Amino acid sequence: MPTSEPTGSPEDAADAAHSRIDTTVAHSARIWDYWLGGKNHYGVDQAAGDHIRTIHPGITDYARADRAFLGRAVTHLTGEVGIRQFLDIGTGLPTTDNTHEVAQRIAPESRIVYTDNDPIVLAHARALLTSTPEGATDYLDADLHDPDTILREAARTLDLTRPTAVMLLGIVMFVHDDDRARAIVRQLMDAVPSGSYLVLSHTVTAPGMEHMDAAVEYWNSVGTPKLLQRTPGEIARFFDGLEVLEPGIVSCSRWRPEPTPTGEPPEEVALYCGVGRKP
């Protein structure tokens, strides 16, 4: 079992990744980075992100709500449940409070494997490979459509016979075929033992959220990869066979949020999420 060393050379991989980055087409990871206040994006991403905000001014709040959900979910699983292994697929660009930072603040021995197939994420993977001496981090350049490779390579760092949190934040929406998407999630959860968890978020389409529909339609006309919205009921199906933690499948802003000054629940965002335990 490795320590904090990655399975490959991040320097060589990062150099190779730069040649794969297309700066002429807006990309979801870079737009997300722009909305979160990062610096790893290009003019085309900023232009697309600004236009989406004219269609749906609250879209930046969605990105922040998704990131905050990650922090609360990892904090709960590490601090209250005792999970020490995380397989984070669809990592996105490094920002503040990445999965390993949240987990290792609570349990320094935590082990995290990040997975993404975006060359710009690979180019910045060094930021995801800083680990406590007691724990480990690794990064895989792999595609969610190929769970066999993900599971095989993740096993270099994670002991998949022990409870593991499978993190799928804002990634399953890029698998358009419903049967294939559910099969991938099922395969990932079948590979981990009882006491493991699924943490998932997904763009939603629902009555009253027509602005999001329009924003997604524009995004799919100019950006890559194209995404698919699903209804709350369709998102819930990814948790079939799992014990869904309270408060259920809800807006990311409403999954165990910090109390508001008014006592009212936070405003909903068109990203739904849930955490489910494998019995």
Side-chain angles (χ1 to χ4, degrees):
M1 187 77 67
T3 57
S4 60
E5 290 301 314
T7 57
S9 167
E11 290 80 8
D12 292 344
D15 291 341
H18 280 289
S19 66
R20 294 165 47 199
I21 298 172
D22 186 350
T23 63
T24 66
V25 178
H27 194 282
S28 58
R30 301 194 307 250
I31 292 178
W32 210 248
D33 175 75
Y34 171 55
W35 286 335
L36 288 171
K39 299 178 180 179
N40 299 312
H41 53 268
Y42 299 95
V44 65
D45 308 302
Q46 182 173 343
D50 287 341
H51 188 79
I52 291 171
R53 278 200 294 215
T54 67
I55 298 171
H56 191 1
I59 195 71
T60 302
D61 295 334
Y62 294 12
R64 292 172 179 163
D66 191 54
R67 198 71 190 177
F69 164 63
L70 180 152
R72 294 195 300 273
V74 173
T75 296
H76 172 74
L77 293 178
T78 309
E80 298 184 40
V81 176
I83 294 294
R84 296 293 181 266
Q85 300 191 127
F86 295 83
L87 177 55
D88 188 333
I89 304 172
T91 302
L93 284 160
T95 180
T96 58
D97 280 345
N98 300 293
T99 297
H100 75 284
E101 294 169 323
V102 177
Q104 291 182 345
R105 273 201 300 267
I106 300 168
E109 70 274 22
S110 298
R111 308 178 77 83
I112 295 87
V113 170
Y114 293 104
T115 303
D116 210 303
N117 71 331
D118 178 3
I120 197 169
V121 178
L122 177 60
H124 293 275
R126 291 183 187 90
L128 297 172
L129 294 171
T130 56
S131 175
T132 58
E134 304 93 330
T137 61
D138 200 354
Y139 179 87
L140 308 178
D141 183 17
D143 193 314
L144 178 62
H145 290 83
D146 186 9
D148 289 324
T149 295
I150 291 174
L151 292 167
R152 182 180 66 251
E153 295 300 320
R156 297 172 182 264
T157 300
L158 307 179
D159 179 356
L160 297 181
T161 67
R162 298 176 53 207
T164 302
V166 177
M167 313 277 293
L168 295 169
L169 273 65
I171 181 66
V172 182
M173 60 196 185
F174 298 117
V175 182
H176 290 195
D177 181 87
D178 287 340
D179 291 339
R180 178 61 178 148
R182 287 193 292 269
I184 289 170
V185 174
R186 185 166 56 250
Q187 181 177 350
L188 292 168
M189 295 309 297
D190 284 347
V192 294
S194 173
S196 295
Y197 286 80
L198 172 65
V199 182
L200 183 146
S201 68
H202 197 297
T203 306
V204 71
T205 181
M209 295 184 175
E210 289 77 11
H211 284 159
M212 187 62 175
D213 297 343
V216 169
E217 181 179 4
Y218 171 76
W219 163 251
N220 283 342
S221 72
V222 301
T224 186
K226 302 187 187 307
L227 63 89
L228 176 72
Q229 297 165 276
R230 290 185 168 97
T231 66
E234 290 169 333
I235 296 169
R237 290 201 60 189
F238 290 115
F239 293 87
D240 286 352
L242 305 179
E243 299 168 351
V244 178
L245 275 58
E246 293 293 337
I249 310 303
V250 297
S251 169
C252 285
S253 59
R254 294 186 174 183
W255 196 90
R256 305 190 180 189
E258 298 295 329
T260 62
T262 63
E264 296 295 319
E267 186 173 346
E268 279 200 308
V269 299
L271 282 168
Y272 270 42
C273 68
V275 178
R277 179 184 182 276
K278 182 175 179 178

